[in-house]
Amino acid sequence: MTDSLFTPFSLRETTVPNRIMLSPMCQYSAEEGMPNEWHRVHLGTRAVGGAGVVMTEATGVERRGRITPGCLGIWSDEQAEALEPITAFVRSQGALPAIQLAHAGRKASHAPPSEGGHALPIDHDEGWETISATDEPYPDEEPAATRRMDADDVADVVDAFAAAAERSLSAGFEIAEVHAAHGYLLHQFLSPVTNDRDDEYGGSFENRTRLVREVVEAVRGVWPDDKPVFVRISATDWLPDRNSWDVDDSVRLAPLLAEAGADLIDVSGGGIHPDQQLPNSGPGYQVPYAEAIREGTDVPVAAVGGITEPTHADALVRNGRADLVALGREMLRHPYWPLEAAHELGAEIEWPVQYRRGRFE
């Protein structure tokens, strides 16, 4: 029987009730990394709306790893405790709570988009020094100071991801995702655009992929055997005119991530440099990247990028192009998209008892 958008999907001993995942979307609403009522309602609403996986925004494993001062964090036990009621509610609605563990590297210390998105230098009230594979800051009008990471820094980052995963487990999350995409720290090590090192973490493909493999191994080492670990990658830098990370590199990386303990690759693209050459961003414009990884490696994938129509999302699963379908902006616009999609596709889905009067006839 052909899998569809509303067919359950099992990874290890964890079953996702359907193939719809809320893609991580920054909310810029935390203070010192602490979740609040906004996060509870934002994530809880998507669980009520029928998503199979409800994933947090990029959640900093270190204070200096946040993209902006308003980004969520899990570098303290207090943050983990504050997330517990949120994960409990998401589970109560039949969805799986997931967390994206992240470190922004040289793209940290930025203002939120609503305030211009510019870099916040160290002498700014809310700015801080950033760290990266390189000492070249992210290109900006007034870039934040960036320090090249030494061996101790690398070890600290690996430990921070592991500690954050342990806190995530105590907070009730069922899935941990390692963020290695969109030009953030782990992507900065992967891409030759930003990795100019000559040590064991730079130069060759093996060396440039070493840190992300070590992070995945560290997260897998503290995550239960019955629960999945995802990794989000940028399949390409979208910089074809220079030496950069591309889809062939991603196909080569995927089985190494699986060997390190990843159960699914969440496939996105771009973010390493503002000169990126975006493809025609029509419906499903990034799906071919996920499909290439799935076909080239047999590792399960999530597809993302301009997916808005239920029939399109369903076809991606039915045709074996993706195992999960991640919706970001569409789920911001339509938090009950899964309920409406089930109606359009003629699929049975359990509505919250409080909302059953609103079911389609």
Side-chain angles (χ1 to χ4, degrees), residues 46-258:
R46 275 71 194 173
V48 170
V53 176
V54 174
M55 189 171 291
T56 68
E57 64 196 81
T59 305
V61 300
E62 291 188 318
R63 188 177 187 277
R64 64 182 175 180
R66 296 169 298 162
I67 305 166
T68 76
C71 288
L72 204 59
I74 193 157
W75 65 82
S76 75
D77 293 342
E78 291 76 17
Q79 291 160 344
E81 290 169 6
L83 285 163
E84 284 184 49
I86 299 175
T87 63
F89 182 80
V90 169
R91 285 195 309 275
S92 77
Q93 301 306 302
L96 296 182
I99 185 167
Q100 187 182 66
L101 303 175
H103 196 301
R106 73 175 193 167
K107 290 182 78 174
S109 192
H110 274 69
S114 62
E115 298 175 18
H118 56 275
L120 300 174
I122 296 175
D123 57 5
H124 185 279
D125 287 345
E126 294 187 304
W128 62 90
E129 178 189 58
T130 67
I131 58 173
S132 182
T134 179
D135 57 8
E136 290 292 325
Y138 185 77
D140 210 318
E141 289 183 9
E142 296 183 26
T146 298
R147 178 169 59 80
R148 185 188 304 272
M149 292 167 62
D150 60 22
D152 289 340
D153 294 318
V154 170
D156 287 346
V157 163
V158 174
D159 290 344
F161 270 94
E166 289 184 299
R167 292 191 186 97
S168 300
L169 185 63
S170 70
F173 287 99
E174 301 288 339
I175 298 169
E177 177 169 276
V178 173
H179 194 2
H182 300 162
Y184 298 119
L185 182 62
L186 300 182
H187 187 185
Q188 291 160 27
F189 274 80
L190 290 173
S191 176
V193 172
T194 44
N195 190 332
D196 55 9
R197 306 173 73 90
D198 58 7
D199 62 2
E200 62 181 332
Y201 291 95
S204 68
F205 176 90
E206 179 183 5
N207 285 354
R208 286 185 286 109
T209 62
R210 189 182 307 278
L211 179 55
V212 69
R213 290 185 282 115
E214 290 180 348
V215 166
V216 173
E217 288 173 356
V219 170
R220 179 78 270 172
V222 300
W223 204 247
D225 287 342
D226 61 342
K227 300 182 188 298
V229 170
F230 293 1
V231 181
R232 173 164 267 197
I233 65 170
S234 282
T236 170
D237 288 341
W238 288 329
L239 294 167
D241 298 331
R242 67 180 75 180
N243 182 26
S244 62
W245 185 265
D246 61 22
V247 177
D248 289 341
D249 292 321
S250 293
V251 172
R252 187 178 172 189
L253 174 64
L256 301 179
L257 296 178

Side-chain angles (χ1 to χ4, degrees), residues 304-316:
V304 68
I307 301 166
T308 62
E309 296 299 324
T311 52
H312 182 196
D314 187 53
L316 295 178

Side-chain angles (χ1 to χ4, degrees), residues 346-357:
E348 292 291 332
I349 186 171
E350 189 71 23
W351 277 59
V353 64
Q354 298 90 340
Y355 282 10
R356 286 181 183 171
R357 285 172 294 172

